[in-house]
Amino acid sequence: MYVILVYDIGEKRVGKMLKLCRKYLNWIQNSVFEGEISEVKLKELSIFAKSIMDITEDSMIIFSNRTGYYMDKIIVGKERMKLDNFL
Amino acid sequence: MYVILVYDIGEKRVGKMLKLCRKYLNWIQNSVFEGEISEVKLKELSIFAKSIMDITEDSMIIFSNRTGYYMDKIIVGKERMKLDNFL
């Protein structure tokens, strides 16, 4: 399953969150990750993320697409992380 | 066409960028926008965005999906902007 993950996390917790998400997905921009992941691994990531987050203050959004369709991607300006469109 | 837009913009320019993107898409989280937009309007938004950005430093990524498929959306923690999944 193809996913895009974005988060808005308090400064004290953002380091841990970056480290966690990098284990599962590709970092492509400040607090933005993309990649292919299984349903089980996504659940695992969400559980670990919740244990790091202050859910009254922090926010994480996971866009997923079960149909296997990738999103087209246009990058304007500086590409933070060199990554092909299709993994 | 359904799009997700994320940007990582220098502090001096981020206010203008927020104002611009809000005219075209729904703000859902810190520097993250989502919504339905036509090809022409997306081009217009990109041109205006480039005029604001310092493309040697700033970065904007536009995920789009011409097939009309929406992405499923899971929100963990605090929802910044109340918005139905399907507009």
Side-chain angles (χ1 to χ4, degrees), chain B residues 9 13 16-17 20 47-54 58:
Chain B
I9 304 283
R13 294 176 293 281
K16 263 192 186 169
M17 198 65 168
L20 171 70
I47 292 165
F48 283 129
K50 275 181 215 160
S51 70
I52 293 170
M53 290 167 67
D54 169 350
D58 300 338

Side-chain angles (χ1 to χ4, degrees), chain B residues 20-76:
Chain B
L20 171 70
C21 293
R22 273 192 143 145
K23 285 187 200 153
Y24 293 85
L25 296 167
N26 302 300
W27 179 87
I28 52 172
Q29 194 191 76
N30 187 18
S31 33
V32 181
F33 295 78
E34 178 193 34
E36 193 67 27
I37 188 170
S38 70
E39 200 99 30
V40 170
K41 285 287 177 194
L42 185 58
K43 272 217 174 82
E44 191 181 284
L45 168 57
S46 305
I47 292 165
F48 283 129
K50 275 181 215 160
S51 70
I52 293 170
M53 290 167 67
D54 169 350
I55 55 166
T56 65
E57 206 188 288
D58 300 338
S59 168
M60 176 174 75
I61 302 176
I62 299 170
F63 298 93
S64 60
N65 188 330
R66 282 177 185 71
T67 56
Y69 270 101
Y70 276 73
M71 298 283 279
D72 300 322
K73 200 167 65 177
I74 308 161
I75 296 168
V76 178

Side-chain angles (χ1 to χ4, degrees), chain A residues 2-71:
Chain A
Y2 168 77
V3 301
I4 298 165
L5 182 149
V6 295
Y7 58 62
D8 182 10
I9 303 284
E11 217 160 302
K12 283 174 280 171
R13 295 175 292 281
V14 77
K16 263 191 185 170
M17 199 64 169
L18 174 64
K19 222 172 136 197
L20 170 71
C21 292
R22 274 193 143 144
K23 285 185 199 154
Y24 294 84
L25 296 167
N26 302 300
W27 179 87
I28 53 171
Q29 193 192 77
N30 186 18
S31 30
V32 180
F33 296 78
E34 177 193 36
E36 193 67 26
I37 190 170
S38 70
E39 199 98 31
V40 171
K41 284 288 177 193
L42 184 59
K43 273 220 171 76
E44 192 181 283
L45 169 56
S46 304
I47 292 164
F48 282 128
K50 275 181 212 157
S51 69
I52 293 171
M53 291 167 67
D54 170 349
I55 55 167
T56 64
E57 208 189 288
D58 301 337
S59 167
M60 176 174 76
I61 301 176
I62 300 170
F63 297 94
S64 60
N65 187 332
R66 283 178 183 70
T67 57
Y69 271 101
Y70 276 73
M71 298 283 279

